[in-house]
Amino acid sequence: MSQSLFADAMTRLDKALQHVSISPEAIERLRYPKASLSVSIPVRLDSGELKVFQGYRVRYDDTRGPTKGGIRYHPNVSLDEVQSLAFWMTFKCAAIGIPFGGAKGGIAVNPKALSRMELERLSRGYIDAIADFIGPDTDIPAPDVYTNATIMGWMMDQYSIISRRFSPAVVTGKPTAIGGSLGRETATAMGAYFVIRSLMTKHQKLPQVTTVAIQGFGNAGAVLAQLLYEAGYKVVAVSDSKGAIYNPQGLDIPSVRAYQQAHKGIEAVYCEESVCNLGDRQLLTNSELLTLDVDVLVPAALENQITLANAHEVKAKFIFEVANGPVNSAADLILQQNGVCVVPDILVNSGGVTVSYFEWLQNRSGLYWSLEDINQRLQEKMEAETSQIIDLAEELSLSLRTAAYVHALKRLAAAIEAKGTQQYFAQS
Ligand code: GLU
């Protein structure tokens, strides 16, 4: 890669700044993370050996509220990546209009190589290392790539042990038995589904004639595949880290999911089988999936999947970014020239953090909502902000990405300016 992920993320900020008039001080503030923490986490493995893992937590901006964002477990986690993800969380929370700033965390680890008990020791060790940095009023972690409700439960418990009080609001995405919210596990996919449906309705595309390819069959990708399938869309291809399956007539998503569920490892919390082992479908690589001739492409895996190297080969008419950062800024330009409509991550995948906000509210009030209430409020939020971003894009002739950033920037700048800037004090 020629430039860092963070440098690439900054180009989106620069682009949006051309279309909004805000205080130069607000701009300067948004270029730097508020605080970045690197920690070493010593873990005793089942073999008796001690292994030290590298972990990070970045709080990017807390002007609009406590910082919020997930924790990922992946071998490629780095400070550059975590800073970029924390920057995106800042804009995501502002774009969807929830009162949080942005943060992110991660551990450089291949979690599939650890036993369940090693994973628990690692997760508790990470909280031991960052406990002073997080809290229900300061910074609230959540799940991300290769972390889940079980891991969030361990983290919340560890924080409660350290602080000597039951602290459910310190982490969201927990099991419901210890303060998790109904609907949190399906929230990212459901939020994305509402955005896809809004856009498809606007472009008068009926589900029955709309083909979809989804890269990534983790929580977000698999649940979204199910929701689209149930709504009548033709989901023709899905993939996981090992490869893709393709059937031009449409895949039977419930059977793909049943296969995945049946192959969860006994000791681990991850699925150990690949969708590729399902017979009678054509096998493709992940990069072949990205260039399929479909109406809708959904990258739901990792960042930097569509770049200068393959953007010109994309045949989809719409890309919905369910992953964070799957399309880089150089690819944006090519896709725009080729008439591909890219609907950005900070809108499409914001359903997850929106229901995290609902979970945090429930933990703080002690009053728990029904699944119906949660999904209803999620739908209202997703549809309202999507329609404002579409209107802004049309009004200013902007891409949906730049419109989403401008929409977020207005809220961020108003908050930064409300706390006082040089211009504000010069007037007194
Ligand atoms: N990791 C998710 C994201 O990237 C969720 C964050 C949260 O719920 O705080 O949006």
Side-chain angles (χ1 to χ4, degrees), residues 326-341:
V327 176
N328 76 3
S329 61
D332 262 351
L333 295 175
I334 298 172
L335 293 167
Q336 202 168 356
Q337 277 161 14
N338 293 347
V340 183
C341 174

Side-chain angles (χ1 to χ4, degrees), residues 9 31 36 45 96 108 147 157 184 189 192 275-276 339 385 389 406:
R31 290 195 192 281
S36 303
L45 302 182
I96 201 67
T147 52
D157 184 47
R184 176 61 186 85
V275 292
C276 305
E385 302 297 327
I389 290 169
V406 168

